Amino acid sequence: MAEQKRRSWSPRLRHAALMVLAAVAGVVVAAVGLPSWLSAASEQAPPALFLADAPTRTLEARVSYPGADMHRPYGALRSGDAGAPPPAPLRELARMEEAGDVHGLAAAYLVRGNTQMAAPYLATAAESPDVASDRAVLALDRKDYAEALELLEGALHAQPKHAQALWNRGLVLKELELWALAAQSFDAVAALGEHGWAGEAKARADALRSHLVDSWRETTDAAKALITEKSTVPEELLQAKPGAFRAKLYEAIRVAPSVERLKSLEPVAAALDARYGGSAMRDAIRWAQSRDFRHRGPLAARYLELYRTNKVAGGVSLFLEDVLRAGERDLYMGALVHQGLVDEHLDTFSSLAAQVRDPWFILMAEHEKALVAIRRGELLRAEHLLLGAVARCAAQPIGYRCIPIEADLSDLYRQLHRLPESNRHAQAALSRYRGDSRWSEEQHQQQLGQNARYLGEASLARAYLEETLARNPNDCKMRHFVRANDALARLQALDVMGARASMSEALSCETPLSISGARTLVDLARMHPDTGQDRMLFDGLKALRSQGRLPPGQMALITHFEGRFHVEQDRTRGEELLRRAIVEARQLPSYDVDARKAQAYSYTSLLFAAGKAGEYERSLALFGEELGGALPRRCLLAVTVDAERTLIVTLGVDGQSLAHYDASRTVALGEDVRGLVPEVVMAPLRACEQVAVVARPPLHGRAGLLPAEMAWSYYVPRSPPDVPATGLARRLVVADVVAPRGLGLPSLNTWDGAVETGTTLLSGQDATPSRVLNAMAEATEVEVHAHGLVNPNLSEASLLVLSQEDGGRYALTAGEVQERRLHGQPLVILAACRAAHGAPWTYERFSLPVAFINAGARAVLAATVDVPDAQAGAFFSAVRERIRHGAHAAVALRDVRMQWLGRDPESWARSVLVFD
């Protein structure tokens, strides 16, 4: 049940490991920092404690503890190496344990590369830049680069010249292949002039910069010569950049004036066929050789003119007619590609690609069909086409041609907010560069940066985006993109002046306004008006509309931006535009995320316009309208936030309303929302037996909105059940799950083992995602005793770790649950850590509990924090029994929760929530 963010340590795992280590040493570890006197004494520690006398170091990272950071050359420790470092002296370890020097103990293990033993000590060390840097070493070891960067950013914010944090940041960035930023980080270490470290840092920076030196100029020159100068390609360069030269060889075949020139190209074709398999390139040459050059020759000369100048005698349209009439299909297809006209002649292009039977052109046709579908807003059709193209790439890899397909599939999944899939395809695009030229690599880094921002991984997002700018400091379009995204992130953190400064830099580039830039400028106009930037907002929106190539969902967003701005100046005009945006969005498919954003954000603006005007009944009506139905008229809390603003409306037991509107927040809302609802509007709710809470994202699913002594639940809209549930009880229990060994999760013992009549038990190897999903369909009660996991590589929300099935699947995600129908309308108990953890989105609710409600569950219980294994079974069983005896889920939870808080006021039970 241990929540794990990419294998992070949960509190009880840390506690357990700490107790084991303490027992071995025979002492108790105190969770205190390093006293100043001990810090000085540690510098006199025996060399054996921190391996200071070893000829090399086995840890590539640097440890931020006095005496543990002596420079020695780095020598990676290989598996089974006889030169493994000796264990730390037990006497010294005992001395440090007795003194409570947990950071020193961690350092003794870290220098030996033993991160598993170091982790529990670092978990209890006092907060400091040194400790944060060393915790980042643990995150780096488990490849949790987002957490590592977050820790290192914090350390460097407090101490900008922290040598170890700069060094470790360079290592993290290197693992992410962010070569430019990694080099800058090591340059900063070198500038500190430390003995030994400065020289190694400079060497590392130089090596990292070598990755940025691509032989693209050499490739371009050789490709140009292949096409226009009738030369061939050096074998070494051909093998290094095969994909680029495949594209150029097609051009060389098209412009060839004779059979003799085509023969000279045969060695290049043979080499590329050998590299990729098949005979496509040799077939292309043989086909061209079979043509009558008395007719083809003049057309090839005209094609060369088009290639060189983008112009051709008689115009492109006439040229296309001539080559198609002459049957010179390769010249026709090449001209369409070269002039960007494939989409306008897609049927003919696809037909010719099928005739040629070259996977290169078949892939191109499928890719273009997908791009047309995306522009039409037919995103699911586009997904189908792109997945088919990716499958072709897997069957016969041809690298270079497959890169943009992977990239566009990644971008499509970003538009659909299926971010784990988007990340996978962006990484797949990047991986294909390793066997070819690294052209437009920054596009995929931008994609990964945007995804990281959507997932709330701000430090990782900044790293990806800043890398693209570091590689291309003079690229104005890239500068606008990066700085506009930076401005949006700053605004979301309520750094208004920082957002204005970033937008000023973004707008200094003469390039179209981005969607991120438009969204930022709209809110800045409300929070900190600037006449010049506000005017650029409208010029930018007008230009975005006029270009006519935005997908329908983004067009709805443009309408929303216009309404969001005007509603603050001219409410009538603004609300008309916001209503139009909602109508536009509702006409689009439900999978269009931009449309869903336009609708949700427009309701946000309407709600706050009503709240600002004191029209609280209208606000309540808008809450209900958005959810698609009337809300309860008593015992209701409705709440929404938007940057600096909060709107709360409550209905007491008598149905009388109270409201609170505030626009003075200066610090971004954190995870802890206790105190957000003032007592003055909460007071009437205390007389209610239970309270329904309508909380718009990102508040939905947070613990602490109402006090623990009140019975309350999150109200989740749902469709009416297809068939009323029968009275026959059918209980499903999922327990004793066998988590994949690679996750390093302990076995659980939370279930009491009671099997009653009508119970289906899925345990051990039988508790796979597929079997659990199937068994849930008819159950009236579902209990899942498993580990909860937060892993953005698998799901935007938390997931359940089940037993692994064929193919390696083990995760049960919110997306999979909400695609099912739970005909038994079950009570669902998720006895797993952080099972209530939702996606950090501001436009819709997305979490495991919401997914179960959408699938048909009548109520869901889940926690927002780690759930202690030894306590979960008893707690949830007590709540379940009260519900079985007729208590409302919120009342049952409140009663059991108060019993547990009576014994332990800080109990995790405070963070268990009901969704119904």
Side-chain angles (χ1 to χ4, degrees):
M1 203 168 312
E3 184 274 339
Q4 186 189 56
K5 184 178 180 181
R6 298 196 188 110
R7 297 187 65 184
S8 61
W9 286 73
S10 71
R12 58 184 185 289
L13 285 180
R14 289 195 295 265
H15 178 75
L18 185 62
M19 291 302 100
V20 170
L21 293 172
V24 170
V27 294
V28 177
V29 178
V32 297
L34 180 63
S36 59
W37 62 267
L38 191 54
S39 177
S42 66
E43 297 183 8
Q44 306 301 320
L49 181 60
F50 299 122
L51 303 177
D53 53 354
T56 60
R57 70 183 196 278
T58 58
L59 183 69
E60 189 175 15
R62 290 181 65 174
V63 179
S64 303
Y65 186 87
D69 194 39
M70 297 288 291
H71 182 267
R72 287 98 68 213
Y74 173 57
L77 182 64
R78 297 178 297 275
S79 178
D81 195 327
L90 290 178
R91 178 173 296 181
E92 288 301 316
L93 293 179
R95 178 184 66 80
M96 298 177 91
E97 293 239 25
E98 185 175 1
D101 184 4
V102 290
H103 191 191
L105 286 161
Y109 288 114
L110 276 180
V111 297
R112 290 166 169 78
N114 192 337
T115 55
Q116 186 174 2
M117 294 289 280
Y121 291 108
L122 278 176
T124 60
E127 300 290 336
S128 72
D130 286 352
V131 169
S133 181
D134 287 354
R135 287 174 180 164
V137 176
L138 303 181
L140 173 61
D141 179 66
R142 62 177 180 267
K143 303 186 186 304
D144 189 344
Y145 304 128
E147 182 178 346
L149 286 173
E150 184 178 351
L151 288 164
L152 293 167
E153 269 197 8
L156 291 169
H157 179 76
Q159 194 173 330
K161 293 186 178 181
H162 193 288
Q164 294 85 359
L166 286 168
W167 180 280
N168 294 338
R169 184 171 182 269
L171 294 180
V172 176
L173 295 168
K174 181 195 72 171
E175 290 300 313
L176 291 167
E177 297 188 359
L178 303 182
W179 314 118
L181 289 188
Q184 290 177 9
S185 201
F186 282 113
D187 282 337
V189 176
L192 299 177
E194 301 168 291
H195 175 72
W197 294 113
E200 185 178 340
K202 183 180 184 305
R204 284 176 176 269
D206 291 342
L208 287 162
R209 273 188 286 270
S210 70
H211 288 283
L212 300 173
V213 180
D214 197 320
S215 57
W216 186 242
R217 173 57 57 189
E218 182 183 4
T219 303
T220 302
D221 291 344
K224 181 180 179 181
L226 178 69
I227 298 167
T228 64
E229 299 176 14
K230 301 180 182 179
S231 70
T232 186
V233 183
E235 179 66 21
E236 181 179 345
L237 189 57
L238 181 62
Q239 293 302 321
K241 315 287 184 184
F245 284 108
R246 180 169 184 154
K248 300 308 177 183
L249 181 57
Y250 288 118
E251 299 284 28
I253 293 170
R254 292 167 191 144
V255 305
S258 65
V259 172
E260 287 72 24
R261 172 55 179 159
L262 290 171
K263 286 182 179 179
S264 71
L265 296 174
E266 288 176 352
V268 179
L272 290 173
D273 282 341
R275 173 66 179 266
Y276 292 116
S279 58
M281 300 311 302
R282 286 169 292 171
D283 290 344
I285 289 179
R286 283 192 286 266
W287 185 86
Q289 288 172 336
S290 71
R291 307 301 292 168
D292 184 346
F293 270 81
R294 290 175 299 175
H295 302 293
R296 180 179 171 91
L299 292 173
R302 290 172 67 189
Y303 185 91
L304 179 58
E305 177 189 1
L306 179 67
Y307 176 82
R308 283 174 164 165
T309 67
N310 282 317
K311 296 179 181 178
V312 64
V316 174
S317 295
L318 179 60
F319 177 70
L320 289 172
E321 292 176 10
D322 290 346
V323 293
L324 192 60
R325 187 185 309 113
E328 303 298 342
R329 64 191 188 193
D330 59 338
L331 301 186
Y332 178 82
M333 296 171 73
L336 291 180
V337 173
H338 192 267
Q339 297 301 114
L341 299 173
V342 175
D343 58 342
E344 297 180 19
H345 304 268
L346 190 50
D347 289 342
T348 306
F349 185 92
S350 299
S351 176
L352 292 175
Q355 292 178 30
V356 173
R357 292 188 296 181
D358 182 338
W360 184 278
F361 295 106
I362 293 172
L363 283 169
M364 190 175 292
E366 294 300 294
H367 190 190
E368 286 294 336
K369 289 177 184 176
L371 294 178
V372 169
I374 290 172
R375 287 194 289 272
R376 292 175 177 169
E378 300 170 356
L379 302 187
L380 296 188
R381 171 171 165 74
E383 178 193 17
H384 174 75
L385 291 166
L386 289 172
L387 285 174
V390 166
R392 286 183 182 273
C393 287
Q396 186 177 358
I398 49 176
Y400 189 90
R401 180 62 252 163
C402 294
I403 291 171
I405 293 171
E406 294 279 13
D408 284 332
L409 185 54
S410 172
D411 188 64
L412 175 63
Y413 281 133
R414 179 193 59 79
Q415 292 183 51
L416 294 169
H417 266 217
R418 291 161 60 179
L419 302 182
E421 291 150 294
S422 178
N423 282 338
R424 282 199 294 274
H425 288 284
Q427 292 289 2
L430 284 169
S431 70
R432 292 184 185 277
Y433 282 117
R434 298 187 182 106
D436 219 313
S437 193
R438 307 181 81 95
W439 63 279
S440 73
E441 185 177 18
E442 291 82 1
Q443 171 192 351
H444 317 307
Q445 291 168 339
Q446 288 179 352
Q447 187 71 64
L448 291 167
Q450 282 187 297
N451 290 352
R453 179 169 63 80
Y454 288 140
L455 290 166
E457 298 175 328
S459 298
L460 183 62
R462 275 190 291 273
Y464 275 119
L465 295 176
E466 289 296 334
E467 174 73 11
T468 67
L469 194 53
R471 294 189 188 188
N472 303 273
N474 299 319
D475 187 324
C476 211
K477 184 177 181 180
M478 191 167 293
R479 180 169 295 277
H480 174 87
F481 179 86
V482 172
R483 289 292 167 254
N485 273 274
D486 179 58
L488 180 56
R490 290 178 182 276
L491 188 61
Q492 289 169 340
L494 291 185
D495 177 8
V496 177
M497 300 308 296
R500 272 290 185 207
S502 290
M503 277 310 304
S504 180
E505 188 175 352
L507 295 170
S508 67
C509 293
E510 293 186 8
T511 188
L513 182 66
S514 64
I515 294 295
S516 296
R519 179 179 172 187
T520 305
L521 285 174
V522 168
D523 279 357
L524 283 173
R526 181 185 76 250
M527 299 167 72
H528 191 271
D530 180 296
T531 303
Q533 286 193 8
D534 295 347
R535 184 169 55 252
M536 296 179 77
L537 165 66
F538 285 102
D539 292 343
L541 291 177
K542 182 178 179 181
L544 286 171
R545 276 196 182 281
S546 64
Q547 71 183 23
R549 294 183 68 85
L550 287 182
Q554 290 190 9
M555 292 299 290
L557 271 177
I558 298 300
T559 305
H560 158 73
F561 292 147
E562 293 171 344
R564 188 170 174 86
F565 175 87
H566 284 297
V567 79
E568 301 296 326
Q569 322 295 327
D570 180 346
R571 185 179 173 192
T572 300
R573 182 183 179 190
E575 290 194 339
E576 287 176 356
L577 287 164
L578 293 168
R579 285 292 181 184
R580 186 191 306 170
I582 291 171
V583 171
E584 290 175 7
R586 285 178 171 167
Q587 291 173 347
L588 298 175
S590 61
Y591 57 72
D592 191 320
V593 175
D594 285 327
R596 301 207 303 270
K597 288 181 180 179
Q599 179 171 324
Y601 296 160
S602 292
Y603 272 112
T604 298
S605 295
L606 291 170
L607 277 162
F608 278 99
K612 184 178 180 180
E615 300 170 0
Y616 300 124
E617 281 299 323
R618 177 170 170 76
S619 297
L620 274 177
L622 286 166
F623 274 108
E625 178 186 323
E626 183 183 24
L627 293 179
L631 300 179
R633 292 304 305 172
R634 55 187 297 277
C635 295
L636 173 75
L637 166 68
V639 57
T640 185
V641 295
D642 178 34
E644 84 286 14
R645 305 183 288 186
T646 303
L647 173 63
I648 303 170
V649 183
T650 60
L651 296 176
V653 70
D654 58 358
Q656 294 298 306
S657 65
L658 282 177
H660 170 76
Y661 172 85
D662 178 74
S664 63
R665 187 163 40 249
T666 57
V667 178
L669 197 64
E671 285 298 314
D672 189 351
V673 294
R674 287 177 293 181
L676 181 70
V677 181
E679 177 61 33
V680 65
V681 293
M682 187 194 307
L685 300 176
R686 293 187 178 278
C688 295
E689 181 184 2
Q690 62 194 51
V691 178
V693 175
V694 175
R696 300 180 74 243
L699 291 177
H700 186 87
R702 304 275 191 97
L705 267 181
L706 289 176
E709 66 269 17
M710 295 178 66
W712 61 279
S713 60
Y714 278 111
Y715 179 84
V716 183
R718 78 186 83 192
S719 302
D722 298 330
V723 179
T726 66
L728 181 63
R730 296 178 297 276
R731 182 187 181 201
L732 170 65
V733 175
V734 180
D736 298 325
V737 170
V738 182
R741 182 175 299 177
L743 295 179
L745 299 172
S747 59
L748 301 176
N749 300 292
T750 58
W751 181 51
D752 59 15
V755 178
E756 55 200 29
T757 302
T759 296
T760 297
L761 172 63
L762 288 177
S763 63
Q765 297 292 350
D766 291 332
T768 63
S770 296
R771 288 176 175 154
V772 169
L773 281 170
N774 290 334
M776 284 179 180
E778 304 300 330
T780 57
E781 286 184 6
V782 175
E783 293 178 44
V784 181
H785 299 274
H787 286 286
L789 186 69
V790 178
N791 186 339
N793 290 326
L794 296 175
S795 176
E796 298 86 347
S798 60
L799 56 87
L800 300 174
V801 177
L802 301 180
S803 299
Q804 197 163 330
E805 56 191 45
D806 293 342
R809 176 187 174 201
Y810 66 85
L812 182 59
T813 67
E816 292 168 322
V817 170
Q818 70 180 8
E819 294 299 318
R820 297 301 182 107
R821 293 305 304 160
L822 304 180
H823 303 295
Q825 303 164 43
L827 165 69
V828 177
I829 295 174
L830 301 178
C833 290
R834 299 183 186 260
H837 177 87
W841 297 340
T842 56
Y843 65 92
E844 71 182 5
R845 305 161 175 86
F846 186 78
S847 65
L848 277 169
V850 170
F852 274 102
I853 293 293
N854 288 340
R858 69 179 184 274
V860 180
L861 276 75
T864 62
V865 298
D866 287 347
V867 176
D869 301 342
Q871 300 177 17
F875 179 88
F876 286 111
S877 291
V879 176
R880 183 189 66 240
E881 288 307 309
R882 287 176 180 266
I883 296 173
R884 283 182 173 181
H885 284 84
H888 185 277
V891 175
L893 173 62
R894 188 269 318 275
D895 292 346
V896 176
R897 178 172 64 217
M898 294 309 295
Q899 290 179 359
W900 284 60
L901 291 177
R903 298 191 294 266
D904 176 11
E906 300 303 318
S907 172
W908 60 276
R910 185 184 298 275
S911 298
V912 180
L913 302 174
V914 174
F915 301 77
D916 62 10

